[in-house]
Amino acid sequence: MDDFLNIVVSIWNEGVFGINFNNIVIGIFILLIFVFFRSLFSKVVVSRLKAFASRSKTKIDDEVLEAFSDPIRFIPIVLGVYISTAYIDLNPSLELFAANLNKSLITIQIFWFMYKLIDPLSFFMHKYEELLTSDLVDWGIKLLKFFIFFIGAAAVLETWGIKVGPILAGLGLLSVAIALGAQDLFKNLISGILILLEKRFKNGDWIKVDNIVEGTVERIGFRSTLVRRFDSSPIMVPNFNFAENAVTNFSNMRNRRIYWTIGLEYRTTHEQLKNIRDKIESYITSNSSFVKGTEEATFVRIDKFSDSSIDLLVYCFAATKKWGEWLEIKENLAYEIKQIVETEKAGFAFPSTSIYYENSPN
């Protein structure tokens, strides 16, 4: 039994990699203390900072603190690992590993703060939405986040002696090979950028591409755009379709047009025609539902003599871009025209054919 205890004591003193178990246990205990108190630490630090930020009138500092909550909770872990590795007496090889580990954690901490800082400060970039469009600004924010993530990952790899340059050179050769087989992908990507730069449409716009799609834009992606058709079904349209075809953006209309040809019977008298035309024109020009003639063209005119009718042209613009409101204004105009025609005791014409025949001499 004494021999067994001596073996246990010998192994305990020798430990692992030349580190006795006393130091290992104490190092782990130190790390666990920091892990256990990290929530308390973050709450105390964040609450103090929030109390300080509440004195300011701007909300940007509150948003920054909210974004920093996760990185702040990671600080005790970084400190715990550093203190634990500093306490333990490591051999040269493990000491180098511990130094690289601490450098990596500190690097991750710094770049994590930078990454989280983008969201609360992105409102500065949104000030340029009128120039660049909101979708392009969102793309820029995503690219900036990717750039910070990439630089941070490269810094960590460099800490461990992994050179990023040769990796990028290899990826460059690989990207050339991929580009040859992914021409459609890059064509769609370039088309998507052009859509945003030229402001052809944005999220929420009603668009139509002949023989391809008509509906409401929900999301403009790198490769394709999500358009929801009016039957509520979504459709993903490759971006090159918007570059190679004419796109009608109904949401960019100033007003919606009403263009009617109303056929009146040939038995309508000159006086009836004039009264009907004048009353319809008076209704349109005096009604706030229609755009004034000084802003958009407005015509109510006898247009032509057709085969079965005298055609009256009604051309005006409703003072709305919303489809439902436009339908209601058209409906009210139709009621009014019907009432005017009936009041003047005239009638609407319909296609008809007259056949004349003569009695035979026999």
Side-chain angles (χ1 to χ4, degrees), residues 165-176:
I167 297 177
L168 293 178
L171 291 176
L173 295 175
L174 179 63
S175 64
V176 173

PDB file of all heavy atoms in Angstrom, residues 165-176:
ATOM      1  N   GLY A 165      -0.597  35.041 -46.861  1.00  0.00           N
ATOM      2  CA  GLY A 165      -0.279  35.351 -48.257  1.00  0.00           C
ATOM      3  C   GLY A 165      -0.354  34.149 -49.179  1.00  0.00           C
ATOM      4  O   GLY A 165      -1.052  34.178 -50.213  1.00  0.00           O
ATOM      5  N   PRO A 166       0.341  33.050 -48.862  1.00  0.00           N
ATOM      6  CA  PRO A 166       0.249  31.866 -49.738  1.00  0.00           C
ATOM      7  C   PRO A 166      -1.163  31.316 -49.854  1.00  0.00           C
ATOM      8  O   PRO A 166      -1.566  30.823 -50.904  1.00  0.00           O
ATOM      9  CB  PRO A 166       1.183  30.864 -49.047  1.00  0.00           C
ATOM     10  CG  PRO A 166       2.145  31.700 -48.272  1.00  0.00           C
ATOM     11  CD  PRO A 166       1.354  32.881 -47.813  1.00  0.00           C
ATOM     12  N   ILE A 167      -1.933  31.417 -48.753  1.00  0.00           N
ATOM     13  CA  ILE A 167      -3.323  30.938 -48.809  1.00  0.00           C
ATOM     14  C   ILE A 167      -4.132  31.777 -49.791  1.00  0.00           C
ATOM     15  O   ILE A 167      -4.908  31.253 -50.603  1.00  0.00           O
ATOM     16  CB  ILE A 167      -3.958  30.984 -47.408  1.00  0.00           C
ATOM     17  CG1 ILE A 167      -3.214  30.042 -46.462  1.00  0.00           C
ATOM     18  CG2 ILE A 167      -5.436  30.624 -47.478  1.00  0.00           C
ATOM     19  CD1 ILE A 167      -3.730  30.086 -45.039  1.00  0.00           C
ATOM     20  N   LEU A 168      -3.923  33.109 -49.739  1.00  0.00           N
ATOM     21  CA  LEU A 168      -4.650  33.990 -50.663  1.00  0.00           C
ATOM     22  C   LEU A 168      -4.226  33.741 -52.098  1.00  0.00           C
ATOM     23  O   LEU A 168      -5.053  33.798 -53.022  1.00  0.00           O
ATOM     24  CB  LEU A 168      -4.398  35.451 -50.281  1.00  0.00           C
ATOM     25  CG  LEU A 168      -4.982  35.913 -48.941  1.00  0.00           C
ATOM     26  CD1 LEU A 168      -4.609  37.368 -48.685  1.00  0.00           C
ATOM     27  CD2 LEU A 168      -6.488  35.743 -48.928  1.00  0.00           C
ATOM     28  N   ALA A 169      -2.910  33.463 -52.307  1.00  0.00           N
ATOM     29  CA  ALA A 169      -2.442  33.169 -53.673  1.00  0.00           C
ATOM     30  C   ALA A 169      -3.097  31.902 -54.204  1.00  0.00           C
ATOM     31  O   ALA A 169      -3.531  31.847 -55.362  1.00  0.00           O
ATOM     32  CB  ALA A 169      -0.927  33.033 -53.675  1.00  0.00           C
ATOM     33  N   GLY A 170      -3.194  30.888 -53.325  1.00  0.00           N
ATOM     34  CA  GLY A 170      -3.861  29.654 -53.749  1.00  0.00           C
ATOM     35  C   GLY A 170      -5.333  29.877 -54.027  1.00  0.00           C
ATOM     36  O   GLY A 170      -5.889  29.351 -54.996  1.00  0.00           O
ATOM     37  N   LEU A 171      -5.972  30.699 -53.174  1.00  0.00           N
ATOM     38  CA  LEU A 171      -7.382  31.010 -53.406  1.00  0.00           C
ATOM     39  C   LEU A 171      -7.572  31.808 -54.689  1.00  0.00           C
ATOM     40  O   LEU A 171      -8.585  31.683 -55.374  1.00  0.00           O
ATOM     41  CB  LEU A 171      -7.946  31.792 -52.222  1.00  0.00           C
ATOM     42  CG  LEU A 171      -8.092  31.023 -50.905  1.00  0.00           C
ATOM     43  CD1 LEU A 171      -8.572  31.951 -49.805  1.00  0.00           C
ATOM     44  CD2 LEU A 171      -9.052  29.853 -51.068  1.00  0.00           C
ATOM     45  N   GLY A 172      -6.563  32.644 -55.026  1.00  0.00           N
ATOM     46  CA  GLY A 172      -6.648  33.408 -56.270  1.00  0.00           C
ATOM     47  C   GLY A 172      -6.661  32.510 -57.483  1.00  0.00           C
ATOM     48  O   GLY A 172      -7.452  32.691 -58.416  1.00  0.00           O
ATOM     49  N   LEU A 173      -5.791  31.505 -57.488  1.00  0.00           N
ATOM     50  CA  LEU A 173      -5.782  30.553 -58.600  1.00  0.00           C
ATOM     51  C   LEU A 173      -7.081  29.759 -58.643  1.00  0.00           C
ATOM     52  O   LEU A 173      -7.628  29.488 -59.716  1.00  0.00           O
ATOM     53  CB  LEU A 173      -4.590  29.601 -58.455  1.00  0.00           C
ATOM     54  CG  LEU A 173      -3.196  30.252 -58.580  1.00  0.00           C
ATOM     55  CD1 LEU A 173      -2.115  29.214 -58.298  1.00  0.00           C
ATOM     56  CD2 LEU A 173      -3.008  30.855 -59.972  1.00  0.00           C
ATOM     57  N   LEU A 174      -7.569  29.414 -57.434  1.00  0.00           N
ATOM     58  CA  LEU A 174      -8.835  28.677 -57.381  1.00  0.00           C
ATOM     59  C   LEU A 174      -9.993  29.530 -57.874  1.00  0.00           C
ATOM     60  O   LEU A 174     -10.892  29.044 -58.563  1.00  0.00           O
ATOM     61  CB  LEU A 174      -9.093  28.203 -55.949  1.00  0.00           C
ATOM     62  CG  LEU A 174     -10.388  27.427 -55.709  1.00  0.00           C
ATOM     63  CD1 LEU A 174     -10.381  26.127 -56.511  1.00  0.00           C
ATOM     64  CD2 LEU A 174     -10.556  27.127 -54.211  1.00  0.00           C
ATOM     65  N   SER A 175      -9.957  30.836 -57.531  1.00  0.00           N
ATOM     66  CA  SER A 175     -11.045  31.720 -57.947  1.00  0.00           C
ATOM     67  C   SER A 175     -11.097  31.885 -59.461  1.00  0.00           C
ATOM     68  O   SER A 175     -12.168  32.041 -60.043  1.00  0.00           O
ATOM     69  CB  SER A 175     -10.893  33.082 -57.274  1.00  0.00           C
ATOM     70  OG  SER A 175      -9.696  33.716 -57.696  1.00  0.00           O
ATOM     71  N   VAL A 176      -9.919  31.861 -60.109  1.00  0.00           N
ATOM     72  CA  VAL A 176      -9.905  31.949 -61.574  1.00  0.00           C
ATOM     73  C   VAL A 176     -10.597  30.741 -62.180  1.00  0.00           C
ATOM     74  O   VAL A 176     -11.406  30.860 -63.112  1.00  0.00           O
ATOM     75  CB  VAL A 176      -8.459  32.058 -62.085  1.00  0.00           C
ATOM     76  CG1 VAL A 176      -8.430  31.971 -63.595  1.00  0.00           C
ATOM     77  CG2 VAL A 176      -7.829  33.362 -61.621  1.00  0.00           C
TER      78      VAL A 176
END
